[in-house]
Amino acid sequence: ELAAETYGRMHLKTGFLENVRATAGYFLNAKGQRYVVVILHNHASAITRHGLDLQDQILNWVYKHSP
């Protein structure tokens, strides 16, 4: 799940096909800097809850740790 502090700071479009999940958009990191993000997850687990959790973890990490 996305961290509560990211709410309203990320503007993303999501989509999925068979074995593919994608997320793209932009966000303001914890320091207020704007970043563009694209995640393309191509794997059998991509359309499962595990795939969604993985993308959330990536977005949370980038939000907190981007320079």
Side-chain angles (χ1 to χ4, degrees):
E1 183 171 313
L2 287 174
E5 62 265 24
T6 66
Y7 294 169
R9 299 178 67 88
M10 294 188 179
H11 303 277
L12 306 170
K13 175 68 178 143
T14 61
F16 60 92
L17 299 170
E18 186 175 343
N19 297 331
V20 178
R21 181 180 296 272
T23 301
Y26 65 94
F27 68 95
L28 297 175
N29 71 359
K31 298 174 186 173
Q33 299 165 307
R34 187 177 310 268
Y35 281 85
V36 173
V37 64
V38 177
I39 302 170
L40 181 60
H41 184 187
N42 186 3
H43 189 270
S45 71
I47 61 170
T48 67
R49 182 68 199 180
H50 174 73
L52 182 59
D53 289 345
L54 176 63
Q55 288 196 1
D56 286 349
Q57 289 172 13
I58 292 168
L59 291 169
N60 284 329
W61 187 89
V62 171
Y63 173 78
K64 293 176 185 174
H65 299 289
S66 54

